[in-house]
């Protein structure tokens, strides 16, 4: 039984708006500044948002999707992002960075790279749940064309031994689905990193607009509690190219409590000491899956006949 708690000092590096023509190098300078600030606080892991290198370009329709190719990265690190990797290695800080990935085969993913404190790449995660639409919908004040510009990953939610524990990643809409957390919970995850770009206005049901902040924290707090894991949710927020986007980045404990939360809608670092051993307080008791979870029953319910069919 280890006596020294496995404390990991984590920083959520929230970003304010990124303009559509903001040079990649200028954005990287903002990331480097947040990373340097994290270094002054002894942070060991910095989590950046989804698509942290560019404006949220899926808000615009292009007939030829290669019209957005300049928003994608064809290598990571690239010449523009190498300075961030160099800073991180020099400071001994690991980080998660969301970006648009264009593979040599022409595949397009909404990707997050995870880099350890020694500069080695731990993993690349590709977003699984792709929201929005893939056709031109000019009736909307702005569009949400992720399904046009990104493929859904079929790689699932792997976890990784890094940063002294078991860590995993998800991206934006992934955080709204309970399966995201449970898939990693069943693998013993202790800290989940989630970047997001969430417009306040939800065109299919504007009644949800006022609840965006509530829903954001609701799903991450529930995911943390029900799987005994830390969750780090990091926004690109503020009004970006005229679209008001949710900020409210948060670091959430295995209890479901928010232990740190951003107070601005701009570039802001929030920091928390995450005791990874706290996870056992839930994994070994209330949510001891081996003792209390009933997968053989759940599958029977969803597979048996006679379940009430929806209208
Ligand atoms: N963005 C949004 C998200 O899931 C969205 C899409 C917005 C869904 C508002 C529901 C309501 O947070 C991304 N990038 O997935």
């Amino acid at each position: 039984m280890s006596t020294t708690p496995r404390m990991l000092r984590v920083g959520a590096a929230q970003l304010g708006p990124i303009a559509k023509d903001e040079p990649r190098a200028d954005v990287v300078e903002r990331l480097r500044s947040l990373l340097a600030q994290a270094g002054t606080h002894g942070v060991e892991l910095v989590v950046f948002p989804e698509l942290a290198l560019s404006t949220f370009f899926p808000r615009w329709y292009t007939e030829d999707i290669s019209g957005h190719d300049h928003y994608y990265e064809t290598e990571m690190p690239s010449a523009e992002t190498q300075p961030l990797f160099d800073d991180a290695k020099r400071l001994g800080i690991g980080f998660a960075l969301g970006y648009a990935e264009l593979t040599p085969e022409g595949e397009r993913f909404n990707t997050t790279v995870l880099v350890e404190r020694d500069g080695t790449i731990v993993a690349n995660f590709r977003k699984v749940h792709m929201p929005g639409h893939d056709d031109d919908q000019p009736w909307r004040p702005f569009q949400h064309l992720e399904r046009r510009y990104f493929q859904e990953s079929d790689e699932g939610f792997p976890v990784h031994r890094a940063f002294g524990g078991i860590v995993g990643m998800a991206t934006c809409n992934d955080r709204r689905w309970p399966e995201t957390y449970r898939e990693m919970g069943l693998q013993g995850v202790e800290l989940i990193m989630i970047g997001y770009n969430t417009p306040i206005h939800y065109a299919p049901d504007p009644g949800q607009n006022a609840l965006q902040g509530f829903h954001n924290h609701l799903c991450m707090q529930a995911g943390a509690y029900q799987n005994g894991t830390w969750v780090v949710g990091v926004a690109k927020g503020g009004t970006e190219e005229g679209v008001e986007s949710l900020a409210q980045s948060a670091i959430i404990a295995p209890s479901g409590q928010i232990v740190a939360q951003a107070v601005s809608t701009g570039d802001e670092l929030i920091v928390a000491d995450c005791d990874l051993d706290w996870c056992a307080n839930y994994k070994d008791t209330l949510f001891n899956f081996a003792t209390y979870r009933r997968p053989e029953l759940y599958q029977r319910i969803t597979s048996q006949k006679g379940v009430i069919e929806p209208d």
Side-chain angles (χ1 to χ4, degrees):
M1 179 68 179
S2 90
T3 50
T4 54
R6 292 177 296 139
M7 297 299 279
L8 181 64
R9 183 161 295 177
V10 175
Q14 174 179 288
L15 288 175
I18 298 179
K20 70 177 184 322
D21 54 1
E22 190 163 343
R24 197 74 99 255
D26 292 5
V27 178
V28 170
E29 283 311 302
R30 290 168 58 183
L31 305 181
R32 295 178 73 187
S33 169
L34 286 161
L35 188 83
Q37 187 184 343
T40 68
H41 293 281
V43 166
E44 299 166 272
L45 167 60
V46 170
V47 185
F48 290 110
E50 170 194 35
L51 297 178
L53 295 171
S54 73
T55 197
F56 187 75
F57 63 87
R59 64 170 65 94
W60 298 301
Y61 178 81
T62 55
E63 184 55 36
D64 175 353
I65 62 172
S66 64
H68 277 336
D69 278 1
H70 60 288
Y71 289 121
Y72 291 77
E73 309 298 322
T74 55
E75 53 183 349
M76 185 53 71
S78 59
E80 290 106 334
T81 50
Q82 189 62 54
L84 177 69
F85 283 67
D86 295 344
D87 287 354
K89 186 172 181 177
R90 175 171 45 79
L91 292 168
I93 300 176
F95 64 94
L97 177 71
Y99 68 97
E101 177 190 9
L102 175 58
T103 72
E105 299 72 33
E107 296 185 296
R108 297 162 188 270
F109 295 103
N110 187 332
T111 299
T112 301
V113 61
L114 179 61
V115 183
E116 246 289 14
R117 292 156 291 188
D118 63 358
T120 56
I121 290 181
V122 175
N124 278 287
F125 169 77
R126 290 165 166 169
K127 187 173 182 178
V128 170
H129 298 92
M130 208 57 68
H133 51 102
D134 61 2
D135 59 329
D136 191 11
Q137 296 187 10
W139 59 270
R140 294 169 177 251
F142 55 87
Q143 303 199 42
H144 202 106
L145 286 150
E146 288 192 70
R147 299 184 70 81
R148 183 176 184 80
Y149 300 123
F150 298 118
Q151 297 160 229
E152 292 167 320
S153 161
D154 58 9
E155 296 163 9
F157 296 97
V159 299
H160 315 280
R161 289 196 178 282
F163 300 97
I166 299 175
V167 302
M169 291 172 273
T171 303
C172 206
N173 198 255
D174 287 330
R175 77 189 186 285
R176 300 180 189 274
W177 300 91
E179 293 86 353
T180 297
Y181 305 90
R182 184 48 50 90
E183 285 292 294
M184 290 186 268
L186 288 166
Q187 301 173 77
V189 75
E190 296 170 314
L191 187 141
I192 299 174
M193 296 158 268
I194 309 178
Y196 59 87
N197 287 244
T198 298
I200 298 294
H201 178 64
Y202 183 57
D205 176 19
Q208 297 181 31
N209 295 7
L211 298 172
Q212 288 298 1
F214 168 65
H215 287 156
N216 178 46
H217 287 162
L218 174 69
C219 54
M220 294 193 291
Q221 287 178 269
Y225 165 63
Q226 291 169 342
N227 294 280
T229 177
W230 289 87
V231 172
V232 184
V234 194
K236 169 137 63 65
T239 300
E240 183 178 89
E241 295 297 330
V243 175
E244 189 186 3
S245 304
L246 183 69
Q248 299 186 19
S249 303
I251 300 175
I252 298 163
S255 61
Q257 293 169 287
I258 294 176
V259 298
Q261 182 175 331
V263 295
S264 78
T265 58
D267 292 12
E268 178 180 346
L269 180 77
I270 57 173
V271 177
D273 284 335
C274 300
D275 178 356
L276 299 181
D277 290 332
W278 190 350
C279 299
N281 292 12
Y282 290 85
K283 291 182 187 294
D284 295 352
T285 61
L286 199 57
F287 292 112
N288 181 320
F289 291 161
T291 301
Y292 301 117
R293 189 166 170 270
R294 305 291 311 282
E296 77 289 349
L297 186 65
Y298 312 147
Q299 282 145 9
R300 185 166 62 79
I301 289 173
T302 50
S303 61
Q304 79 180 20
K305 293 289 172 261
V307 171
I308 293 174
E309 295 296 328
D311 293 339

